Amino acid sequence: MEEPNLIDMSSTIFGNKEWKELEDRELAFGADVLLDELIDKAKWSNTEIAWILRRMIYFYGKKDPLLLKAPPERLFTNMVDVLRTFYLIIDLTNPEIDDNMRSYLTTKLADATWGINSRTREYLHKL
């Protein structure tokens, strides 16, 4: 049974029935098995896309030693694919985002422009 929404906020992917089922499968079989299973599927649900993104955040966020050995060109390709995904989702749905979330997203995206904005490019040219 789904928990009642006590503060009248719209529900998100996290905590919905499909998310809980994915978490249960992750606990039962392991994250790697679930990842392999999802990769083999032709189409992913929004919940599965969110789960994949969460796994990517985990590995990239911890600066996984094995990923540090990956060719930089491959990592750039990974990030471009993620950015294309977000671009299409934002373009198609144009979601309403509250001010706190918008501020967080703006800060994170501004940080992610390191290396492509003019100030940091000048710094990189000096190296």
Side-chain angles (χ1 to χ4, degrees):
M1 184 167 104
E2 200 163 321
E3 296 178 19
N5 191 345
L6 299 176
I7 53 177
D8 196 34
M9 290 181 65
S10 59
S11 63
T12 66
I13 288 174
F14 303 105
N16 73 15
K17 183 180 176 188
E18 186 181 1
W19 182 264
K20 289 176 184 174
E21 289 171 1
L22 278 177
E23 283 184 326
D24 290 345
R25 288 180 25 222
E26 179 181 3
L27 289 173
F29 304 110
D32 290 337
V33 170
L34 181 55
L35 180 61
D36 290 341
E37 177 185 315
L38 292 176
I39 289 172
D40 288 339
K41 289 179 71 175
K43 293 181 184 176
W44 297 339
S45 68
N46 288 348
T47 303
E48 291 166 337
I49 290 170
W51 189 89
I52 294 285
L53 290 171
R54 187 186 72 162
R55 289 300 292 165
M56 291 178 74
I57 292 167
Y58 170 76
F59 278 98
Y60 285 106
K62 75 173 190 163
K63 296 173 183 61
D64 182 64
L66 204 53
L67 275 179
L68 290 173
K69 295 178 183 180
E73 296 82 13
R74 181 62 224 188
L75 296 178
F76 274 114
T77 300
N78 291 358
M79 289 302 103
V80 168
D81 289 343
V82 169
L83 291 171
R84 278 190 185 117
T85 302
F86 278 124
Y87 179 80
L88 290 172
I89 289 171
I90 294 295
D91 185 43
L92 290 175
T93 63
N94 193 18
E96 287 295 322
I97 302 172
D98 70 54
D99 286 343
N100 289 332
M101 182 62 78
R102 187 171 300 283
S103 177
Y104 175 80
L105 293 172
T106 300
T107 300
K108 287 297 182 186
L109 200 51
D111 287 346
T113 65
W114 195 99
I116 63 172
N117 67 48
S118 60
R119 291 175 300 204
T120 56
R121 290 189 72 76
E122 289 173 15
Y123 168 78
L124 290 171
H125 279 296
K126 292 178 184 179
L127 292 178

